[in-house]
Structure formats: structure tokens, C-alpha cells
């Protein structure tokens, strides 16, 4: 029966020579293999030269490099003809922080007064949007020809390397657009000073970043899906295609980056009806998902027990014994050490915004900022999961309360009280900021760092797993699968 619950999906990574018309040619082969649903990587218009599609610049249209909206319509019709469903990977958390993003371009020109400013998660009170993209001073780049004026007087832009940054409309930008040869060091300094954005050295100016990043990737900017108008705009194409019967499932990328994931998923469910929804989510051993209206997660929670089932226990012990001295002796301690290093260096903009939210929620005086900053770093270093869902009013789990029941967490009581607070807007804002930090911090400290140090047994150094897990026997595996089926049963 067409478009039933997926039996077997085939993920197709678009781009790099694979467009939607080429996907059409694969459909008979996929059907012959027994595939029930074609699962597409994000097909939306992405940053120029994107190799993966998760750096979206316009979620309301299919990328022209993939064939555009007409090609998607052809694919949907061809898939229907051979009884194949289509699952689309959507990216609600972030967009590309590049000047060819049309909504961001308008923000660069008009600042917080832009009609598109509310789309992006920007701390305007901290200053100007900042691009840490330079490898020298602006004067150095001007001398080398890496900076110059582009465009007419009604659309002036500053070329920096191969990108074109919209300039604020002003007498100076209009004058320079008419005569680019007038751009010298002094004039450029005046021009940069009047912009809603700034640029700085890529190594030295990260502290000036005021937008929420995806992890520590500056060229991805957070999207405010908690705003109903932003949700409606960024999901317009998706909802239309679901309504037209061209999409039979959605995979939601990086759910933990959103301010209130639970609220988002309930909103999405209302928008797409009974269309299946899966989320990218990593759960720790002993962690349960909240009661969200979804069909399940995207596979990490399945592959880890499979890996453990296929791992010979005695062989694993032998490998670990042989690696003694070559890998960290205590995985958890190594993670905490790396987290603190990242908090003190890589995640300074994110840490600062969490402190600001805590100050507001606690009505704290300025002289308490340093103490709160240290308490937040301590609590984030101890956090045992990617994130809690206190922003959605989900109680802290026993896994969390046990992890923070330590003497060093005593200074964190006021913060934990905020996470347990009722639906107070300032407490929820703190919870969202803190949880957005812990998700990124966990990923960067564990899967991006310590996994590469704790490689006694490589199969357990995979996203969704942990290097210190043990093997599973068939009975334990079967128990986990029954519990999983109970949580997300197939109809």
C-alpha cells in the first residue's frame, strides 16, 4: 500500500552532482530494492557552494541548483507513480549567516528595524552583528584588493573577499557607490562605523558575536521558531507540500537547538496533521524522551544497542586492557575537563548570554555576575544529558538531579530553582539559553573531542554512543527494543 508506515528508507544526499532529476532516475531501482520511502537531505536553497544543504538561506523554495520547485514537483509525481513516499529533512534551528541570505541581507542593511530582524536570534542590546571573517586589518585587505565597493547607489555593498555585504543607505555609501575610487582607509573606517554590522579578525574577535550560533559555527545563525510568525514563514513551503500530498514524512534536524522543542513539535504536529515526524535527538543511557507528538528519533538510539549486541564482551575487555595508558582512564572526568576548557574559550558568547538571562531571572545585582558566571560553568560541566526540557516545563529527571547532587554544585541551587520554576517568562528564558548551551557543549566535548581520545574500541566512539559502554546480550537487547517499541509504536 503506498505511503504506509516506512518499511525501508533510502537517504539521498543531494548536491555534489546529485539533483532532483537524477533522483527521479533512481526511483525504479529503489522500488526494486524494497525501499518504501525516499529520504531527502535538505533540498531548500542553501548558501552558495553548499555541499550538504544544512546552511539554508531560503526555506520557502527548493534550491535552483537542485532543479528548483518544478523539479521537486516532477520528483513527487514520479515517486507517487511507483508508490514511493518522500521524507524531507527540515532545518528549523538555523540558517546560513552569510550576506547572500536574503532575509539576513535586509537585516544587515536595516538593522533591528528590518522586517526580518525577528527571524533571527540576535542579542541586539550587545551591539552590532559581527562577522569574524578577516585575516588582517581592514586597511590590509583594502591594500590587497580584498575589500571594495560594489553595486549602484540604491543597493550599495561592500565586497570582502568574495562576499558582498549590504551597506546602510546613507550619503556616504551613496557617494562611494558612485565613485568607488574614493574608498581609502579613513573613508572605509567611517563607512564601517555607520553599519549595523561589524567585521573583525577570525581568530581574535569571536567575543563580539551577538547571534546564537549552531554549536560554535559562526556562519550558522539561530532562528526564533518560538515566534509564531517566524514558524509560519519558515514552514510555509513544508506545510503546503504536505497538504498537497507530496511529502509523507519529516525528519527534524537538531531539535535541541530550539528554545522550546516541545512547543515547536506540538505546533508542527498541528500544522502537518498525522504526517509522520522523526527528530534528530541523542539520548543518554537511562534518559527518556518527553511525551512529544512524534513517531520517534532518527536512529542513534537504535544503532548503539545494535553495536553493543554485536560486540563480544571478553574481546572488549581485552581491547580496553591493551589500551590502558593510551586513552583517558576516566571518560566522565575527561569530558568534564574538556567542557570547562570549551566554556572558557570556545563558548564565551553563549556563556555570556546564559549569564545575562540568569541575571534577569534572578533580578541579580551586577556584583553577582562573576559568581553566577562560575555557577553556570560548574552546572554545565556536570550536566549529564544534552539538554533538559525545563524550558517546556518538563521536570528535571532523576538522571539530572543525581548528577548535580555534588558538593561543587551547591553554589548552583539558585539556577536549579530557576529550572524548576513555574511558567515565569524570565525563568523560561534562562532555561532555554542554558539548555541551548548544554546541548552544544555536550556535542563538542564528547562526540567532537573525547571520542577522538577514548578510542580503545572505535565502534562505540559514534554519535549517540559512549566509549565506556559495555556489550549487550540478546535478552538485554530485546528488552531495550520492547521498551523502544512501547514508546514509539508503529501503527
Amino acid at each position: 500500500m503506498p505511503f504506509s508506515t516506512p518499511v525501508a528508507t533510502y537517504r539521498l544526499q543531494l548536491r555534489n552532482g546529485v539533483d532532483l532529476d537524477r533522483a527521479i532516475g533512481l526511483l525504479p531501482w529503489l522500488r526494486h530494492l524494497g525501499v518504501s520511502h525516499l529520504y531527502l537531505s535538505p533540498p531548500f536553497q542553501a548558501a552558495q557552494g553548499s555541499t550538504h544543504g544544512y546552511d539554508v538561506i531560503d526555506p520557502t523554495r527548493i534550491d535552483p541548483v537542485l532543479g528548483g520547485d518544478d523539479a521537486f514537483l516532477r520528483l513527487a509525481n514520479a515517486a507517487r507513480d511507483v508508490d514511493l513516499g518522500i521524507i524531507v529533512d527540515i532545518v528549523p534551528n538555523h540558517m546560513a549567516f552569510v550576506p547572500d541570505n536574503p532575509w539576513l541581507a535586509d537585516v544587515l542593511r536595516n538593522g533591528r528595524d528590518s522586517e526580518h530582524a525577528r527571524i533571527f536570534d540576535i542579542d541586539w542590546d550587545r551591539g552590532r552583528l559581527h562577522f569574524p571573517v578577516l585575516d588582517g586589518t581592514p586597511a590590509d585587505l583594502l591594500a590587497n584588493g580584498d575589500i571594495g565597493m560594489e553595486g549602484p547607489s540604491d543597493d550599495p555593498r561592500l565586497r570582502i573577499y568574495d562576499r558582498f555585504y549590504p551597506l546602510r543607505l546613507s550619503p556616504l555609501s551613496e557617494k562611494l557607490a558612485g565613485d568607488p575610487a574614493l574608498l581609502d582607509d579613513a573613508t572605509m573606517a567611517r563607512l564601517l562605523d555607520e553599519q549595523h554590522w561589524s567585521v573583525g579578525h577570525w581568530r581574535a574577535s569571536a567575543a563580539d558575536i551577538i547571534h546564537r550560533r549552531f554549536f560554535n559555527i559562526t556562519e550558522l545563525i539561530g532562528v526564533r521558531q518560538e515566534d509564531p510568525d517566524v514558524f509560519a514563514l519558515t514552514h510555509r513551503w513544508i506545510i503546503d507540500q504536505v497538504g498537497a500530498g507530496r511529502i509523507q514524512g519529516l525528519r527534524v534536524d537538531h531539535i535541541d537547538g530550539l528554545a522550546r522543542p516541545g512547543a515547536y513539535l506540538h505546533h508542527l504536529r498541528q500544522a502537518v496533521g498525522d504526517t509522520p515526524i522523526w527528530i534528530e535527538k541523542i539520548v543518554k543511557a537511562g534518559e527518556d524522551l518527553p511525551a512529544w507528538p512524534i513517531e520517534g528519533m532518527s536512529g542513534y538510539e537504535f544503532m548503539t544497542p545494535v553495536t553493543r549486541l554485536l560486540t563480544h564482551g571478553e574481546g572488549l575487555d581485552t581491547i580496553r586492557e591493551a589500551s590502558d595508558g593510551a586513552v583517558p582512564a576516566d571518560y566522565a572526568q575527561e569530558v568534564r575537563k574538556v567542557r570547562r576548557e570549551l566554556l572558557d574559550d570556545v563558548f564565551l558568547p553563549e556563556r555570556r548570554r546564559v549569564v545575562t538571562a540568569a541575571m534577569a531571572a534572578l533580578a541579580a545585582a551586577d556584583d553577582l555576575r562573576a559568581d553566577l558566571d562560575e555557577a553556570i560553568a560548574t552546572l554545565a560541566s556536570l550536566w549529564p544529558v544534552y539538554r533538559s526540557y525545563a524550558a517546556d516545563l518538563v521536570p528535571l529527571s532523576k538522571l539530572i538531579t543525581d548528577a548535580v547532587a555534588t558538593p561543587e554544585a551547591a553554589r548552583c541551587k539558585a539556577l536549579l530553582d530557576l529550572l524548576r520554576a513555574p511558567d515565569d517568562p524570565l525563568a523560561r528564558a534562562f532555561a532555554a539559553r542554558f539548555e541551548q548551551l548544554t546541548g552544544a557543549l555536550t556535542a563538542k566535548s564528547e562526540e567532537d573531542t573525547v571520542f577522538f581520545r577514548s578510542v580503545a574500541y572505535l565502534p562505540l566512539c559514534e554519535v549517540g554512543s559512549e566509549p565506556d559502554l559495555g556489550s549487550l546480550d540478546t535478552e538485554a537487547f530485546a528488552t531495550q527494543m520492547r521498551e523502544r517499541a512501547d514508546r514509539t509504536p508503529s501503527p
Side-chain angles (χ1 to χ4, degrees), residues 345-387:
D345 182 19
V346 174
F347 287 114
L348 285 175
E350 290 73 19
R351 179 173 169 178
R352 184 183 299 113
R353 67 165 40 199
V354 177
V355 174
T356 300
M359 295 279 289
L362 294 170
D366 286 343
D367 59 358
L368 293 178
R369 176 175 287 273
D371 288 342
L372 277 175
D373 180 50
E374 181 59 30
I376 285 165
T378 298
L379 193 61
S381 296
L382 294 170
W383 214 244
V385 293
Y386 280 74
R387 72 175 282 175

Side-chain angles (χ1 to χ4, degrees), residues 35 49 96 100 111 120 122 130 147 167 199 213 215 236 247 257 272 289 335 344 358 402 424 430-431 436 465:
V35 170
D100 52 328
F120 304 108
I122 301 168
H130 185 69
I147 287 182
L167 293 166
V199 289
R213 303 181 289 180
F215 294 179
R236 183 175 65 204
I247 293 177
V272 301
L289 274 183
V335 167
D344 290 343
D402 286 350
D424 169 73
F430 164 74
Q436 287 169 324
S465 188

Side-chain angles (χ1 to χ4, degrees), residues 337-483:
K337 182 185 78 172
V338 171
R339 286 188 181 193
R340 189 55 194 247
E341 293 170 352
L342 292 170
L343 285 166
D344 290 343
D345 182 19
V346 174
F347 287 114
L348 285 175
E350 290 73 19
R351 179 173 169 178
R352 184 183 299 113
R353 67 165 40 199
V354 177
V355 174
T356 300
M359 295 279 289
L362 294 170
D366 286 343
D367 59 358
L368 293 178
R369 176 175 287 273
D371 288 342
L372 277 175
D373 180 50
E374 181 59 30
I376 285 165
T378 298
L379 193 61
S381 296
L382 294 170
W383 214 244
V385 293
Y386 280 74
R387 72 175 282 175
S388 64
Y389 297 97
D392 282 308
L393 297 177
V394 176
L396 299 183
S397 68
K398 187 175 184 299
L399 198 64
I400 294 173
T401 56
D402 286 350
V404 299
T406 65
E408 60 185 312
R411 70 174 67 188
C412 307
K413 181 181 183 303
L415 301 175
L416 290 167
D417 288 343
L418 284 179
L419 296 174
R420 296 186 176 103
D423 199 5
D424 169 73
L426 293 178
R428 298 285 67 72
F430 164 74
R433 293 303 190 204
F434 179 73
E435 293 172 345
Q436 287 169 324
L437 171 61
T438 61
L441 182 64
T442 302
K444 295 302 293 184
S445 62
E446 296 190 27
E447 62 203 58
D448 287 0
T449 305
V450 183
F451 278 17
F452 289 85
R453 301 177 182 178
S454 299
V455 288
Y457 183 60
L458 192 58
L460 291 178
C461 298
E462 182 55 82
V463 177
S465 188
E466 292 184 15
D468 59 350
L469 291 174
S471 61
L472 280 180
D473 60 27
T474 54
E475 182 177 350
F477 177 80
T479 298
Q480 287 195 18
M481 294 302 101
R482 283 193 296 268
E483 292 173 350

